[in-house]
Every structure is written in structure tokens, then in C-alpha cells.
Amino acid sequence: MRLTDFWARLEEAFGPGYAASIARDQVLSQLGGRTIEQALRSGEQTHVVWRAVVAAYPDRVPARLR
């Protein structure tokens, strides 16, 4: 998954403002206690990060985006 696709999915699922906040502030155990931004900066693959988002917010991410 391209990084632009990742951000588009995150924004579609959470809205632009809230997506940025989640990426910056929310620590996910599925990412080893890192935020989305930290995981991406450290080189984690986007599809791995996306799976962590889906696991952390199963009710928020529409099925078509999974």
C-alpha cells in the first residue's frame, strides 16, 4: 500500500482532523507501543500499520477499507 493510500484511508475512516490526531497521539499496542507516525517514520510497512489501525478500531474502519 502506498503511503498516500494509507493516509487517504485513515482520513476517510476518521475524518481529516481526527485522523491526524490519531496518527500523532494514539499509541497502539499492535505497533509495539508506538504511534502511527512513529511506526511509519521508523520504516514500518504501511500495510502493517494499516492492519494495526483496523485491529485497534474495528468499529470505525468500514469493511470496504479493510
Side-chain angles (χ1 to χ4, degrees), residues 19-34:
S21 175
I22 286 175
R24 181 182 57 248
D25 302 326
Q26 185 66 45
V27 173
L28 301 179
S29 61
Q30 298 90 338
L31 295 175
R34 298 176 291 176

Side-chain angles (χ1 to χ4, degrees), residues 2-3 10 21 29 34 43-44 53 56 64:
R2 293 172 149 169
L3 191 55
L10 196 67
S21 175
S29 61
R34 298 176 291 176
E44 193 69 63
V53 171
R64 64 183 169 69

Side-chain angles (χ1 to χ4, degrees), residues 1 4-15 19 46-47 49-55 57-66:
M1 171 188 310
T4 54
D5 295 333
F6 173 87
W7 287 112
R9 287 181 184 203
L10 196 67
E11 288 183 3
E12 188 173 339
F14 296 96
T46 53
H47 71 275
V49 178
W50 183 249
R51 280 191 233 134
V53 171
V54 171
Y57 301 97
D59 296 334
R60 231 12 236 261
V61 179
R64 64 183 169 69
L65 295 178
R66 292 175 188 222

